[in-house]
Amino acid sequence: MNDLVQLTKENGIAVITINNPPVNALSPGVPQGISEALDQIAQDASSKAVVLIGGGRTFIAGADIKEFGKMTSGKPRGEGLLPFLLKIEDSKKPVIVAIHGTAFGGGLEVAMACHYRVAVSSAQVGQPEVKLGIIPGAAGTQRLPRLAGVAKAVEMCTTGNPVKAADALQFGIVDRIIEGDLLPGAIAFAREAATKPAPKTRERNDKLGNATENAPIFSAARETVAKKQRGLLAPVAAIKAIEAATILPFTEGCQVEQKLFTECLFSDQSKALIHVFFSEREVGKIPDVPKETPLLPVKSAAVVGAGTMGGGIAMVLANAGIPVLLKDADQLALDRGLATIQSNYANSAKRGRFTPQEAEERFKRITPTLSYDDFSKADLVIEAVFEGMALKKEVFKELDRVCKPGSILASNTSTLDIDEIASATSRPTYIIGTHFFSPANVMRLLEIVRGKATSREVIATCMQLSKTLGKIGVLVGNCRGFVGNRMFGPYRREAQFLVEEGASVVAIDKALSDFGMALGPLATGDLAGLDVGWRIRKEYRHLEKPGIRQPFVEDNLCELGRFGQKTGAGWYQYDEQRRAMPDPVVDDLIRKWVTVAGIPQREISAAEIVDRCLYALVNEGARILEEGYALRASDIDIIYLNGYGFPAYRGGPMWYADTVGLKQVYARISEFHRQHGEIWQPAPLLARLAEQGKTFAQLGKEEGAAV
Ligand code: 3H9
């Protein structure tokens, strides 16, 4: 046996413990260690049954995801896990799995090959492979329907969502919940089991149903997947594999699963989703803010501005159990803000996200106020007033006066200079940007903007706070628009240019939606409110270089009061339910305006729409990286996946560019540069990487940047 697996014995029961921290993944050595332990136990007449348990915080959380990259880059796969699982299942002595933490992916597949499963009540089981763009690859799609039934297996394998121990018991995945300590409970269970014949999951067919029962399950699942997981290959493959379980003998079903697993594993989607998995964990690592950096307490908070963003942020804080003061200068605005919060909570309760009582408790954590009187108690203040430097500075000057020393003063600005805001205070080390995305209580992204004086403690505290709030915090530098909006500018600029050059509003949104974006760029504008960008452009007009082409349609729409969904009209017109409909009035206006502007009209393909919009993102992302405003290309990807509806299966804009090949991306951008002039100047970093045959992903590993 090896260091990863230990074998002990207690009162005639052999105990195999896996110790492969942090999550007991099935890394090379783990299956071998368990297998050798089983060999020894088979020889030991005094061991009547076996308990398999994980050491540390969890049972096996799955295959070692790092190994997948090696496999797809040529490492031979070996025989896989199937023979190992058959060996467990064929053990003459019953094997009982004792689950705590998470039995995920390969972990659940191991558990299902054992004869019995017991779990503590806090445990979870799941087949989360689809989230990595693959399907279970060790007979999970064959054994799970045999234990849990076809419908549950389909649900688990297509959504990847975990199942709590109590539900696992109800569905027959787990045989007993252990109250109290797991190991003694599992050993007691093993003693009972030792006297009975050990059931083999693969030989059970009682829950597999028949064709008439299963057909509606599969067709409903296919429909749901097409709607909710648009463009994803793995959920479709998972359904196919489970379907095989219902019509083929176990061994042949496994062969179907293997084939589908391999196809998924080698797909670009899986590579992208695995990139996302590791990037999400990398994003919290900041070179000059080590893990040990002391954190400041955040036990109470205040929000300035009860508008859409301020109200949403107050909800996010209240949801995390943090009492929050919500201030607005205007009674009417405050009342309106509070009413919106209350109705949002009521809707969440109606949809069953939490109980009415929980909604009430959350709502009660928010105290409305018209004054700064109680702000001296707040550990953290988040300003969310209108986007305007003069107003922000006024607010911060006041906050500096009323807040206690050591409280963090954060701005929710989406574009403005944090250092200039900090200059209105006497405590620039405590000033930071916390840029939430709308709707703040829904969107996962939080850009944390580091000013030049922001202290490490304040950064570490805000990074930690993002986790407490259920957000994914990404540290960015202080440049205009920070990372997300700075890139979004050129992206939406191109969408508008394309409209001016002859593409229809619908064609543009459709091209990007077909690419996988949650919403097209023009519809996104309508959702966010076209007036936001209009206001910002007005503020920054003096910074625009003369002679550079600027889009004008959106500003013209705003001049007509068409701000998007909130005014019932923008690029589209909206009905009562906020459903978008193409608006012939807009088409006519655009044609009139472009004729006046003398812009030649032409047919524009969907491919050009996608390239123009996405490469505008990538080119700006490359500049941001080079200028050090993002730590890693993967941080930019995380921002786009969590704040801008970029499809996860494409890995984010920078990963997508790597997938296309930077040489090709550079060539296309150079072509746009020749056609459209200076705004398409290729980023020097992109030019260099393309020339060297490298990727953005390699850059992160080799050079390291500073925010
Ligand atoms: C699979 O099983 C396929 C099978 O069908 C077999 C096919 C043949 N591998 O998330 P955390 C690392 S596919 C390698 O921060 P938490 C993670 O990178 C797999 N590493 O902790 C991080 O490293 P670092 C199916 C892994 O407590 C550290 O562990 N299973 C793996 O918030 C801590 O992770 C899954 O998809 C892994 N499998 O959450 C489960 N898992 O510290 C994926 C974690 O260096 N994992 N790491 O940044 C999870 O969902 C969560 O990590 C878990 C813990 C809930 C387990």
Side-chain angles (χ1 to χ4, degrees):
M1 233 163 309
N2 50 42
D3 289 351
L4 302 170
V5 176
Q6 282 81 45
L7 174 59
T8 51
K9 202 155 80 180
E10 282 193 38
N11 264 339
I13 303 295
V15 178
I16 304 175
T17 308
I18 307 150
N19 272 307
N20 183 25
V23 297
N24 287 324
L26 286 168
S27 316
V30 173
Q32 293 80 348
I34 298 172
S35 178
E36 283 166 32
L38 286 174
D39 290 339
Q40 282 189 27
I41 295 163
Q43 303 302 318
D44 176 7
S46 68
S47 292
K48 302 291 179 219
V50 187
V51 167
L52 177 63
I53 192 167
R57 68 197 228 208
T58 181
F59 186 64
I60 302 165
D64 186 338
I65 301 169
K66 289 190 289 295
E67 291 298 308
F68 293 144
K70 295 179 196 161
M71 281 185 209
T72 49
S73 46
K75 185 183 159 188
R77 189 167 164 219
E79 58 179 3
L81 291 172
L82 289 178
F84 161 63
L85 299 190
L86 289 177
K87 177 172 177 171
I88 298 179
E89 204 167 35
D90 288 339
S91 158
K92 297 271 177 320
K93 300 178 183 178
V95 184
I96 291 87
V97 160
I99 303 171
H100 71 299
T102 48
F104 279 176
L108 180 56
E109 288 171 306
V110 168
M112 292 190 296
C114 296
H115 305 105
Y116 300 99
R117 290 146 292 279
V118 300
V120 290
S121 59
S122 58
Q124 294 190 320
V125 303
Q127 298 284 179
E129 286 88 344
V130 279
K131 295 188 179 174
L132 301 170
I134 54 176
I135 64 166
T141 61
Q142 307 302 300
R143 284 196 179 90
L144 188 56
R146 286 176 159 84
L147 280 183
V150 175
K152 191 68 188 167
V154 166
E155 182 200 312
M156 286 174 69
C157 293
T158 53
T159 64
N161 292 337
V163 170
K164 293 193 177 112
D167 293 335
L169 178 71
Q170 191 198 328
F171 283 99
I173 304 169
V174 159
D175 300 295
R176 185 178 294 172
I177 304 288
I178 302 288
E179 309 296 341
D181 288 343
L182 178 59
L183 184 58
I187 290 175
F189 187 99
R191 278 217 198 84
E192 292 168 37
T195 58
K196 296 184 249 170
K200 295 182 185 180
T201 307
R202 72 173 191 269
E203 289 175 357
R204 289 182 52 178
N205 293 321
D206 52 304
K207 287 197 174 173
L208 284 180
N210 59 41
T212 323
E213 288 159 355
N214 292 334
I217 297 175
F218 294 125
S219 67
R222 287 196 167 98
E223 231 170 82
T224 309
V225 162
K227 233 186 276 161
K228 293 198 176 156
Q229 292 160 294
R230 187 167 59 96
L232 285 177
L233 305 172
V236 178
I239 298 171
K240 230 189 227 178
I242 297 171
E243 211 168 24
T246 64
I247 48 183
L248 296 173
F250 179 80
T251 312
E252 285 169 46
C254 287
Q255 285 161 2
V256 172
E257 182 196 79
Q258 282 307 292
K259 187 171 167 287
L260 292 165
F261 171 81
T262 310
E263 276 169 22
C264 287
L265 184 64
F266 280 82
S267 69
D268 282 345
Q269 291 195 356
S270 167
K271 288 175 194 153
L273 288 165
I274 288 172
H275 157 74
V276 174
F277 177 84
F278 286 114
S279 301
E280 280 193 0
R281 281 148 185 89
E282 187 80 4
V283 82
K285 295 172 187 156
I286 303 161
D288 72 331
V289 183
K291 268 209 301 243
E292 312 72 55
T293 309
L295 300 177
L296 303 169
V298 182
K299 296 210 168 61
S300 64
V303 173
V304 187
T308 313
M309 284 314 288
I313 296 168
M315 286 177 76
V316 171
L317 291 159
N319 290 347
I322 301 172
V324 50
L325 284 169
L326 179 62
K327 179 194 177 297
D328 207 290
D330 176 58
Q331 182 73 54
L332 220 75
L334 193 59
D335 291 346
R336 215 173 17 226
L338 222 60
T340 308
I341 293 173
Q342 195 163 27
S343 96
N344 284 344
Y345 275 134
N347 283 339
S348 297
K350 226 185 275 163
R351 271 189 249 118
R353 278 196 57 216
F354 29 77
T355 63
Q357 191 198 341
E358 277 169 330
E360 184 66 22
E361 277 165 20
R362 287 163 196 235
F363 183 63
K364 276 199 189 134
R365 286 191 199 116
I366 301 173
T367 310
T369 176
L370 288 170
S371 80
Y372 285 112
D373 285 354
D374 289 324
F375 271 52
S376 58
K377 295 186 193 125
D379 295 320
L380 163 77
V381 180
I382 301 177
E383 164 277 311
V385 301
F386 269 125
E387 251 343 53
M389 184 54 90
L391 177 61
K392 302 249 178 205
K393 280 168 101 168
E394 208 178 286
V395 170
F396 272 79
K397 198 166 160 204
E398 192 59 15
L399 289 176
D400 190 32
R401 196 178 63 77
V402 296
C403 293
K404 64 184 172 192
S407 63
I408 299 174
L409 306 186
S411 173
N412 180 53
T413 176
S414 55
T415 41
L416 300 176
D417 182 348
I418 291 295
D419 292 331
E420 193 178 340
I421 293 174
S423 73
T425 74
S426 63
R427 55 172 104 186
T429 48
Y430 286 91
I431 310 299
I432 194 162
T434 49
H435 178 207
F436 289 81
F437 286 70
S438 186
N441 52 320
V442 176
M443 299 297 283
R444 223 177 136 219
L445 177 63
L446 179 61
E447 272 187 333
I448 296 175
V449 191
R450 180 179 199 162
K452 64 173 185 283
T454 313
S455 78
R456 286 175 190 162
E457 288 78 4
V458 169
I459 293 170
T461 305
C462 288
M463 291 299 288
Q464 178 56 43
L465 180 73
S466 67
K467 287 191 193 150
T468 313
L469 301 181
K471 305 281 171 207
I472 182 152
V474 185
L475 188 68
V476 298
N478 179 30
C479 56
R480 185 178 153 191
F482 316 126
V483 171
N485 282 350
R486 177 169 158 185
M487 289 166 66
F488 208 49
Y491 169 77
R492 293 202 67 255
R493 174 200 73 203
E494 285 308 311
Q496 293 176 67
F497 282 166
L498 287 157
V499 168
E500 293 174 8
E501 290 164 29
S504 74
V505 171
V506 171
I508 288 166
D509 280 346
K510 180 172 186 313
L512 285 144
S513 159
D514 287 351
F515 171 83
M517 298 296 291
L519 209 55
L522 303 175
T524 306
D526 275 357
L527 177 68
L530 302 181
D531 55 321
V532 181
W534 181 47
R535 232 182 280 276
I536 294 166
R537 279 190 294 279
K538 278 190 192 169
E539 171 134 0
Y540 280 114
R541 195 125 288 162
H542 63 286
L543 296 179
E544 280 167 12
K545 251 189 177 175
I548 299 283
R549 179 181 170 192
Q550 298 293 341
F552 55 79
V553 172
E554 204 157 282
D555 288 353
N556 288 5
L557 292 174
C558 285
E559 301 287 351
L560 297 173
R562 299 184 68 115
F563 293 170
Q565 291 195 16
K566 61 179 151 189
T567 55
W571 288 100
Y572 297 86
Q573 51 178 317
Y574 294 89
D575 65 11
E576 304 273 276
Q577 276 84 44
R578 294 202 165 193
R579 272 183 308 226
M581 286 160 297
D583 193 343
V585 174
V586 172
D587 293 336
D588 289 347
L589 283 171
I590 293 170
R591 293 310 137 220
K592 205 171 82 196
W593 292 332
V594 296
T595 311
V596 173
I599 299 173
Q601 301 295 289
R602 63 192 172 87
E603 285 280 318
I604 300 176
S605 69
E608 178 179 343
I609 294 171
V610 169
D611 283 358
R612 286 267 295 272
C613 293
L614 289 179
Y615 293 165
L617 269 185
V618 172
N619 206 30
E620 197 62 30
R623 279 186 211 288
I624 287 172
L625 261 185
E626 186 156 42
E627 291 164 16
Y629 292 111
L631 277 170
R632 299 161 275 252
S634 59
D635 285 11
I636 298 180
D637 289 335
I638 292 300
I639 287 175
Y640 263 78
L641 299 174
N642 293 285
Y644 294 85
F646 202 94
Y649 64 81
R650 299 219 191 241
M654 308 314 274
W655 181 265
Y656 169 68
D658 280 350
T659 317
V660 173
L662 295 191
K663 242 189 191 104
Q664 194 177 321
V665 174
Y666 173 68
R668 192 83 168 116
I669 288 180
S670 303
E671 196 183 324
F672 294 149
H673 185 208
R674 284 191 293 278
Q675 290 165 358
H676 303 284
E678 195 178 328
I679 43 171
W680 274 102
Q681 175 83 42
L685 174 67
L686 174 65
R688 176 160 65 81
L689 292 176
E691 177 150 323
Q692 294 170 345
K694 288 191 176 160
T695 60
F696 288 121
Q698 280 170 329
L699 178 80
K701 288 191 190 83
E702 286 170 11
E703 300 187 9
V707 162

